[in-house]
Amino acid sequence: MSKPLKQVHLAAHFPGVNNTTVWSDPKAGSHIEFSSFVHFAQTAERAKFDFLFLAEGLRLREQGGKIYDLDVVGRPDTFTILTALAAVTEHLGLTGTINSTFNEPYEVARQFASLDHLSDGRAAWNVVTSWDAFTGENFRRGGFLPQDERYSRAKEFLQTTSELFDSWRGDEILADRQTGTFLRDAKAGAFVHSGQHFDIEGQFNVPRSPQGRPVIFQAGDSDEGREFAASTADAIFSRYATLKEGQEFYTDVKGRLAKYGREPQELLILPAATFVLGETDAEAEELAREVRRQQVSGATAIKHLEFVWNRDLSGYDPDGPLPDIDPDLGEHTVSRGRAQVRMYRDPLATAREWRERAEANNWSIRDLVIETGNRQNFVGTPATVAATINDYVQADASDGFILAPHITPGGLDTFADTVVPLLQERGVYRTEYEGTTLRDRLGLAHPDTVKAGERAAS
C-alpha cells in the first residue's frame, strides 16, 4: 500500500542580507520602504504560504575594512517590520530571526509574546547564535562567544524565554469592572531563573499569547545545531540542495527526536531555496546563468575565495586563474568568526579540489565562485519546478521550502501565479488556510496541549 501524499509547506524569505538579491535589476525595489514588505507579504498570503521569514543582519557585511559591494544595507528592525505586517495580513505567519548571543531573554520574550498577541497567533522565532567578532563589536559585551559556548547560551536563552512565556497560564485576567479586580492571581507572571548565563527574577508583564509560545525555528547545521533543534525546535532550516544530501539530513535530524520523547512530525525540515522560472526549461537555465553572474561581482568572488585561502587576495584578477599559493593555515583568519570559515574545515583539500575543477573547466576565480556557491535550487518551467518541489517532499528530503527570490519585492509574483496552482492540482498544497494560528497551519501542537498530555501520562 502506498503511503499518503505529504502536504508541501512553503514560506517566503524576504532577501537582503547577502548577495542573493539582485538589487541592480530594473525590476527591483526598495529594501526599506514599507510598501516593499507589504507587496511581498501579501503575495505570499495570496499564495497561501505558511509564513514570511526575515533574516537578521546586525552589522554591515565587510572584510578588510570594506563593505561588500553587492550587499543591501538599511534593513529596518525585524520586530518593527513584523508588527506592521500583522496589520496588513490575516493568515500569514511572521517569522523573525533574533540573536541569542547579543540579546536578553526578558526583552525577546516580551517582544515575541506581544507580536503573537498583535497577530492573533502568527509569531515565530528563528533562534540563531553568533560567534562573529565583527558583530560583537556593536554590542556592549564586545567580542564574540567561542563556538563551544554559543549553543550553551542559546539553550539556556530558549529555556529562560520558555519559562517567561509559561509564567502565565492564560486564565489570570478577571477584569471585573464591578469590583475593580483585574487579576485573579496577583502572582501572575512570576518567575525565577538562575543558571550559567542568566540569573533573573521578577514578573513577566505580557499575558499568555494565542500560541502560548512562538513557533521556534533553528538554523544550525553543526552536530550541536542539529541536536539543539531535535531537543527544542519546531522547525529547522537545511542548506542541502541535492535530493541525496537532503534525505541524509532529513533522516539524521528526524532520527534524533526519539531520545527527547518527540515524534518525527513534531519537527519540520524546511530548506532555504532559490528559483528561476522560464517559459521553457532552456530559457530558465539561461536566465539562471545571468542571475548568478549578477549575484557575484568580481569583488564578491575575491572575498569568497579569501574565506578558504585566509589571505588578502585583493591583488588577484577575479577573471583570472586561482592563486597558485596555498591557503594560510594560521590561527588568525581574515574572516574571524564567520560561518564560511567553518564550512571549509580543510582549506588545503578545498583549494586543491577547486584548482582541479577550475583547470578542468577553464574557470576563472569568479566562474568558480559562481558555480560552487550560487546555484539556484529550482530552475525550469512552472511545471518542472512544481514537480521537483513535490518530488523532494514526497521523497523525505524536506517537508517544504523557504523560497528566496532574487528580486524584491515582486520576485515571488510569478511563482504564486504559476507554480502554486500546479501544486494545488496535485493535491499536495492547500487551497485555503485552515486553523487560526501558525501552529495550526504547520501541524504543530499547542504547548498547552503538550503539557496537558505530559501531566496525564505522569
Side-chain angles (χ1 to χ4, degrees), residues 100-101 128-131 141 144-157 196-198 224 228:
S100 63
T101 306
V128 296
T129 64
S130 177
W131 65 312
R141 64 191 311 273
F144 63 101
L145 280 178
Q147 186 175 1
D148 60 351
E149 291 185 31
R150 62 196 182 100
Y151 276 114
S152 169
R153 178 182 168 93
K155 288 177 182 177
E156 188 176 338
F157 195 110
Q196 177 185 353
H197 298 279
F198 308 107
E224 297 97 324
F228 180 35

Side-chain angles (χ1 to χ4, degrees), residues 125-396:
W125 174 17
N126 178 34
V127 185
V128 296
T129 64
S130 177
W131 65 312
D132 188 326
F134 302 105
T135 299
E137 294 169 354
N138 279 352
F139 295 86
R140 70 173 186 268
R141 64 191 311 273
F144 63 101
L145 280 178
Q147 186 175 1
D148 60 351
E149 291 185 31
R150 62 196 182 100
Y151 276 114
S152 169
R153 178 182 168 93
K155 288 177 182 177
E156 188 176 338
F157 195 110
L158 188 55
Q159 176 191 346
T160 307
T161 56
S162 295
E163 291 168 5
L164 293 170
F165 294 133
D166 292 345
S167 65
W168 288 79
R169 299 184 307 272
D171 61 355
E172 293 91 342
I173 297 180
L174 182 61
D176 188 327
R177 291 180 172 83
Q178 299 300 318
T179 65
T181 304
F182 192 77
L183 292 176
R184 57 168 45 96
D185 181 359
K187 294 184 178 180
F191 66 88
V192 178
H193 179 93
S194 181
Q196 177 185 353
H197 298 279
F198 308 107
D199 188 0
I200 57 176
E201 178 178 356
Q203 282 186 277
F204 190 52
N205 67 347
V206 184
R208 191 83 167 156
S209 71
Q211 293 189 116
R213 306 171 196 166
V215 173
I216 301 298
F217 288 78
Q218 202 271 334
D221 184 47
S222 64
D223 188 70
E224 297 97 324
R226 296 182 187 203
E227 206 67 29
F228 180 35
S231 64
T232 58
D234 298 307
I236 183 173
F237 298 127
S238 161
R239 62 181 177 85
Y240 295 102
T242 69
L243 182 67
K244 183 174 184 295
E245 288 176 331
Q247 289 174 319
E248 290 173 352
F249 181 85
Y250 192 99
T251 300
D252 176 74
V253 175
K254 296 271 189 175
R256 297 172 186 245
L257 293 168
K259 75 176 78 171
Y260 299 105
R262 306 181 69 194
E263 299 293 331
Q265 68 272 15
E266 294 180 48
L267 178 68
L268 298 177
I269 295 178
L270 303 170
T274 56
F275 62 91
V276 175
L277 299 170
E279 292 187 5
T280 66
D281 288 344
E283 178 185 282
E285 290 286 356
E286 180 60 32
L287 179 57
R289 284 189 287 271
E290 179 183 332
V291 170
R292 288 199 294 273
R293 293 200 71 81
Q294 290 177 302
Q295 291 171 326
V296 182
S297 68
T300 295
I302 293 296
K303 287 182 172 65
H304 277 257
L305 206 68
E306 288 178 349
F307 292 146
V308 174
W309 259 257
N310 192 29
R311 297 176 182 272
D312 178 1
L313 302 178
S314 58
Y316 283 82
D317 180 2
D319 293 316
L322 272 66
D324 54 7
I325 57 173
D326 284 333
D328 181 356
L329 303 182
E331 291 185 7
H332 174 74
T333 66
V334 297
S335 304
R336 184 166 61 105
R338 292 288 175 82
Q340 289 90 336
V341 176
R342 303 195 306 279
M343 289 172 60
Y344 308 112
R345 298 185 185 278
D346 188 343
L348 290 176
T350 300
R352 185 165 54 250
E353 177 194 346
W354 282 4
R355 286 197 192 101
E356 291 172 356
R357 293 183 65 182
E359 184 176 350
N361 293 282
N362 195 29
W363 286 344
S364 66
I365 291 174
R366 187 181 179 198
D367 292 332
L368 175 87
V369 172
I370 289 171
E371 294 302 320
T372 58
N374 274 70
R375 298 198 66 84
Q376 292 81 5
N377 300 85
F378 303 119
V379 178
T381 64
T384 297
V385 170
T388 306
I389 287 175
N390 185 51
D391 288 346
Y392 271 60
V393 172
Q394 304 308 329
D396 289 340

